[in-house]
Amino acid sequence: MSTITRFAPSPTGRLHVGNIRTALHNWLLARKAGGRFLLRIDDTDAARSREEYVEAIRADLAWLGFAPDAEYRQSERLAKYKAAFEALKAAGRVYPAYETAQELELKRKIQLGRGLPPIYDRASLKLSEEERGAKEAEGIAPHWRFKLDHYEPIRWDDGVRGPQKFDAAQLSDPVIRRADGSWLYMLPSAVDDLDMGVTDVLRGEDHVSNTAVQIQMFTALIAAQYAAAQKPRFAHEALLVGKEGKLSKRLGSLGCDAFREQGYEPMAIVSLLGRLGTSQPVEAFADPAPLIDTFDLSTFGRAPAKFDEVELARLNAHIVHQLPFEAVKGFVPEDFTPEAWHAIRPNLEKASEVIEWWQVVTGPVPALDFSDEDRAYLREAAGKLEWSGTPWQNLTGALKQTTGRKGKELFLPLRRALTGMDHGPDMKELLPLIGEEEARARLERAAA
Ligand code: GLU
């Protein structure tokens, strides 16, 4: 059976680093196995779902380079959930419940006050036919709960957490359908995973208790002959936190739009998130192939993964230093050349900074102050420009001979006069780009 994974965001906001990481890991898991990666839009919550977010999710995945092999939308599959619901109902695994939200809250408070876990007491399950009739005669429309089997042990071997065991009696029967007929997350997700042949559910550890419930749902759906498929394997990854160890608000809103705006390369994000929280070293990869080859759930740790933007910036610089000219062709001026890219590239943290450095080549550059001594030196330099072969070596070689200067004294005034800056790309490569006439003009202006 070939591997099928899915990423199942609710389109109620933009993707943030945490979701992006989960999506990436699902994509890597599928690619490594030569399988398929699905995008499932969990949009059963019509009031909170927005089309603009669906589009943003697609665009973000495409930008990051892990576009899905197929896309599904829960809002188009409501008939399936109804069929599954009816099958579970016929099998006695679904029951109507009549408590209001306030009643449930009160029960919770009482249980907590007595030091008991706030598990739903199944009061509605215990109602007689008559009592139920009376509720409905009063005009109370029921919501629906899935009836957990308290005698069926819940176990799975988690791809990250190892063997897991839950006692169904310690869990509440989950509400799966609201009184207005709309669906909560739990059942549609299980139905979809079966229908779409999902083999591996990889998601955040905040879903562990959902998995416990869904395992019984999968079994019940298969037993009710709703589906012939097998239930998937499960893996829950530790959550992502900021470097200070907390899930900050900033991290919760940090997504592809911010990354793009700040000029990060998609591969920097992929390189970082691919291995963050695993025992494998985070490295800057120019393409995802090595991440695919080495992807291994058994290297995932249980401790929260720490996201650090400084690390992202470092990876980004490494990736920019390897980017081919083609990658920047789209946003550089027409006269910008591959030679210019090679000269400037090692100096960049973000590819977009190339524009500022190109300005240093084309000019005008800021006029800096020089001492009298340096001005004399620069005047001499203007007369010594020799454009055959390697102009920078010619110039500095000649000046060394005639002035006896060396090191910083020899190089820095030239760099400052030629670029208006104290640091920057290798002058060997930069000077030919500036050109003879312009270089002489800059040296003469500095000497004046
Ligand atoms: N829509 C759910 C979420 O965003 C999906 C969880 C899952 O089953 O992967 O949390």
Side-chain angles (χ1 to χ4, degrees):
M1 193 168 49
S2 99
T3 296
I4 300 180
T5 65
R6 88 303 193 270
F7 172 51
S10 307
T12 55
R14 297 286 305 239
L15 300 182
H16 56 72
V17 261
N19 316 127
I20 293 169
R21 174 168 166 260
T22 303
L24 169 61
H25 291 161
N26 275 285
W27 181 76
L28 291 171
L29 180 60
R31 282 292 168 275
K32 165 119 192 231
R36 282 158 58 78
F37 167 66
L38 314 179
L39 171 62
R40 190 185 80 205
I41 303 290
D42 281 4
D43 58 351
T44 53
D45 187 345
R48 292 176 58 228
S49 298
R50 296 243 190 307
E51 206 49 38
E52 64 189 270
Y53 292 134
V54 176
E55 279 158 24
I57 289 166
R58 285 187 197 123
D60 285 350
L61 295 184
W63 182 72
L64 289 159
F66 36 100
D69 299 307
E71 181 186 311
Y72 297 93
R73 294 186 70 148
Q74 290 197 323
S75 56
E76 289 166 0
R77 298 177 41 81
L78 302 179
K80 302 269 183 192
Y81 311 142
K82 181 85 189 337
F85 175 81
E86 295 302 339
L88 290 178
K89 203 165 144 198
R93 294 301 296 272
V94 158
Y95 65 93
Y98 300 88
E99 292 90 349
T100 63
Q102 291 87 327
E103 282 166 342
L104 291 173
E105 188 47 36
L106 188 63
K107 284 183 198 236
R108 258 175 65 84
K109 281 202 178 127
I110 294 172
Q111 286 169 314
L112 290 172
R114 290 188 187 142
L116 298 169
I119 301 166
Y120 175 61
D121 63 5
R122 290 188 157 176
S124 284
L125 182 61
K126 292 166 197 148
L127 294 177
S128 67
E129 194 81 33
E130 266 170 26
E131 287 167 319
R132 249 181 273 154
K135 295 269 185 203
E136 304 211 357
E138 273 175 56
I140 306 175
H143 54 274
W144 299 85
R145 287 186 186 260
F146 175 73
K147 187 179 161 209
L148 291 167
D149 181 345
H150 287 180
Y151 300 101
E152 183 193 317
I154 300 172
R155 289 177 201 278
W156 77 92
D157 193 11
D158 195 283
V160 174
R161 300 163 67 86
Q164 302 288 301
K165 207 171 102 195
F166 275 80
D167 176 2
Q170 296 304 312
L171 300 168
S172 293
D173 291 335
V175 177
I176 55 172
R177 194 174 193 188
R178 298 187 189 89
D180 66 4
S182 65
W183 302 99
L184 279 104
Y185 157 75
M186 215 63 101
L187 180 65
S189 177
V191 167
D192 287 346
D193 287 339
L194 285 175
D195 277 354
M196 294 164 194
V198 170
T199 57
D200 293 81
V201 170
L202 168 57
R203 54 189 176 188
E205 67 181 10
D206 49 330
H207 282 286
V208 168
S209 60
N210 288 343
T211 296
V213 166
Q214 283 174 328
I215 287 216
Q216 283 212 352
M217 263 179 205
F218 284 116
T219 312
L221 286 166
I222 294 165
Q225 293 185 341
Y226 168 78
Q230 274 196 344
K231 54 174 179 278
R233 288 181 288 265
F234 290 92
H236 297 85
E237 53 184 18
L239 298 182
L240 194 71
V241 295
K243 74 171 192 305
E244 63 292 341
K246 282 187 301 219
L247 186 74
S248 64
K249 206 161 161 214
R250 167 159 166 66
L251 204 56
S253 61
L254 192 61
C256 288
D257 42 348
F259 289 138
R260 226 173 311 190
E261 236 164 68
Q262 292 168 45
Y264 286 118
E265 300 300 316
M267 272 315 299
I269 298 154
V270 169
S271 295
L272 179 58
L273 296 180
R275 287 190 174 169
L276 203 61
T278 75
S279 58
Q280 301 196 65
V282 171
E283 289 171 62
F285 293 115
D287 86 82
L291 282 172
I292 296 172
D293 289 345
T294 58
F295 185 80
D296 182 355
L297 282 178
S298 73
T299 66
F300 279 59
R302 296 278 304 264
K306 287 192 178 164
F307 178 83
D308 182 357
E309 246 182 291
V310 173
E311 202 173 7
L312 180 62
R314 181 181 63 81
L315 292 168
N316 198 74
H318 275 288
I319 285 164
V320 170
H321 301 166
Q322 304 164 43
L323 280 184
F325 176 63
E326 286 65 42
V328 296
K329 233 169 152 180
F331 64 86
V332 290
E334 257 184 29
D335 51 350
F336 188 84
T337 57
E339 289 71 34
W341 176 241
H342 285 277
I344 296 173
R345 186 172 74 162
N347 256 72
L348 306 177
E349 286 189 353
K350 312 265 171 75
S352 55
E353 293 162 359
V354 69
I355 303 294
E356 293 155 41
W357 285 111
W358 183 236
Q359 166 85 47
V360 171
V361 171
T362 58
V365 296
L368 304 180
D369 283 337
F370 295 92
S371 65
D372 291 345
E373 209 181 318
D374 277 348
R375 283 212 298 279
Y377 171 64
L378 292 168
R379 187 161 311 114
E380 185 169 348
K384 288 220 153 47
L385 275 181
E386 159 58 55
W387 220 254
S388 61
T390 51
W392 177 252
Q393 289 92 323
N394 299 347
L395 176 65
T396 51
L399 287 168
K400 199 172 176 177
Q401 291 273 318
T402 56
T403 66
R405 289 195 183 213
K406 51 185 194 260
K408 209 170 155 186
E409 275 214 298
L410 177 71
F411 299 116
L412 190 59
L414 296 172
R415 175 183 285 285
R416 296 181 80 232
L418 288 164
T419 68
M421 317 249 286
D422 289 345
H423 66 278
D426 190 342
M427 290 303 298
K428 274 203 299 295
E429 296 191 55
L430 206 58
L431 186 56
L433 298 172
I434 294 171
E436 183 173 5
E437 219 176 296
E438 174 70 14
R440 185 168 296 115
R442 290 184 192 179
L443 291 170
E444 279 168 357
R445 188 186 60 170

